[in-house]
Amino acid sequence: MVLETPARVEQHYAVLEKPSFSPVGVLMRKIPGFGRFIRITSITLIYYHFNLQDVIFHLYLVPNDCTIRKAIDDEEMKFQFVRINKPPPVDSLYIGSRYILSGSKNLEIIPKELKLCYRSPGKSQLFFEIYAGHIGSGIKLQIQDKKHRNLIWEALLKPGDLRPVLPMIPAAHKDAPALPHFLDRHREQLVARVTSVDPLLDKLHGAVLSEEEYEAVRAEATNQDKMRKLFSLSRSWTRACKDRVYRALKDTHPHLITELLEKSSGISVES
């Protein structure tokens, strides 16, 4: 992949007057089996979810494309699956080749093998689903090339990789009195302890904050002043906006939010 320099950039589009694109993509789509001769960089994406006493993992083997990775992240997040960060395969792989997943005993893996393919981000991506009970000291996973039985990737999933999954804010029952929102209950702690405000603002820009509001908050001198300014805007927020801010805080300050949830509920937020 290369970056093309546009001849002209307009407000809503860019102009390439003399683009030079490789025909490889066309050949891969039109000629069956052509991709088997092209090595590409791939990544593994692992997600987990606690289901009663079991743990469910989703393992993807996909081309290293940021748009595909984001589409998978968004899809898994809908079902509250959490990604585990593990190294990708060291060597390049072949599009169209089949790969087999195996692991420690007492694992149920469906399916046993997958074909590495290039699907557009808008389509559902293929993945291994792994059912595990108590993982004990860890689970070892391996992926082999089906044809040559070469080991192309392995990883050890340890209990420490499974960090607490933060619960979603439950919707209030229509007949029940509305409880104060998480942001309202913990405003003082959030103002005092949120230490990285700019990444939080980036997540809220356009969705909760207008350009003018975004710049006004960023202009404050300290993190506490920024949070006070942010909360001064909350009087006009709907509950949906506050939910967005809550989710952004979960992404940028997960340990702080977990601690506040544990203190408010009196229980440990584990599984």
Side-chain angles (χ1 to χ4, degrees):
M1 183 179 294
V2 296
L3 295 177
E4 293 279 343
T5 302
R8 187 172 73 256
V9 178
E10 301 294 343
Q11 183 176 1
H12 300 292
Y13 60 90
V15 177
L16 294 176
E17 292 184 345
K18 297 181 180 179
S20 58
F21 298 118
S22 167
V24 170
V26 177
L27 294 173
M28 289 178 66
R29 288 182 176 272
K30 298 298 183 180
I31 302 178
F34 183 80
R36 296 177 183 272
F37 302 100
I38 301 177
R39 297 176 67 90
I40 66 166
T41 303
S42 300
I43 56 172
T44 49
L45 300 174
I46 310 175
Y47 303 83
Y48 77 91
H49 188 280
F50 287 103
N51 180 25
L52 299 178
Q53 299 301 318
D54 296 329
V55 184
I56 301 175
F57 296 94
H58 289 174
L59 173 58
Y60 295 79
L61 178 62
V62 293
N64 189 10
D65 184 317
C66 61
T67 58
I68 294 177
R69 185 168 63 248
K70 183 179 185 306
I72 294 174
D73 278 341
D74 292 344
E75 183 68 16
E76 292 291 339
M77 190 180 300
K78 291 179 184 177
F79 302 98
Q80 298 187 26
F81 275 73
V82 180
R83 175 137 64 96
I84 303 173
N85 187 32
K86 292 295 179 181
V90 176
D91 298 325
S92 300
L93 306 179
Y94 290 97
I95 286 287
S97 295
R98 291 187 171 273
Y99 297 93
I100 299 173
L101 175 65
S102 60
S104 308
K105 61 180 181 179
N106 300 325
L107 291 182
E108 185 176 352
I109 302 174
I110 303 173
K112 294 292 186 181
E113 65 178 66
L114 284 181
K115 181 171 69 173
L116 178 60
C117 57
Y118 208 119
R119 293 190 171 192
S120 64
K123 294 184 178 181
S124 297
Q125 305 295 324
L126 303 177
F127 62 88
F128 296 99
E129 189 164 51
I130 307 163
Y131 295 87
H134 181 64
I135 68 173
S137 60
I139 296 174
K140 189 173 184 179
L141 297 175
Q142 295 182 331
I143 297 180
Q144 293 178 309
D145 173 18
K146 182 181 180 180
K147 183 176 182 180
H148 301 289
R149 294 290 175 169
N150 296 326
L151 180 65
I152 61 111
W153 176 84
E154 63 180 343
L156 177 63
L157 305 182
K158 305 180 295 296
D161 292 325
L162 310 186
R163 58 185 175 84
V165 181
L166 299 179
M168 301 293 289
I169 298 178
H173 191 277
K174 64 179 181 179
D175 296 326
L179 297 175
H181 195 277
F182 176 89
L183 300 184
D184 301 320
R185 298 199 308 271
H186 301 286
R187 175 172 180 159
E188 182 178 350
Q189 287 291 323
L190 292 172
V191 169
R193 299 179 61 186
V194 170
T195 57
S196 185
V197 182
D198 286 349
L200 172 65
L201 299 178
D202 290 340
K203 288 182 174 292
L204 302 178
H205 183 234
V208 175
L209 300 177
S210 66
E211 181 69 30
E212 182 179 350
E213 291 171 333
Y214 173 81
E215 294 297 340
V217 177
R218 288 200 64 196
E220 297 294 331
T222 66
N223 285 327
Q224 289 188 355
D225 289 339
K226 289 179 181 180
M227 289 301 294
R228 290 192 185 96
K229 182 67 174 180
L230 179 63
F231 273 108
S232 73
L233 304 172
S234 66
R235 290 187 291 270
S236 62
W237 292 348
T238 63
R239 191 171 185 90
C241 288
K242 291 182 179 181
D243 288 349
R244 282 181 176 268
V245 178
Y246 170 80
R247 290 194 293 269
L249 284 166
K250 283 204 307 181
D251 291 340
T252 56
H253 297 78
H255 299 296
L256 172 59
I257 304 305
T258 299
E259 179 185 333
L260 294 178
L261 286 169
E262 290 176 351
K263 287 182 177 179
S264 62
S265 63
I267 60 175
S268 176
V269 182
E270 294 288 343
S271 58

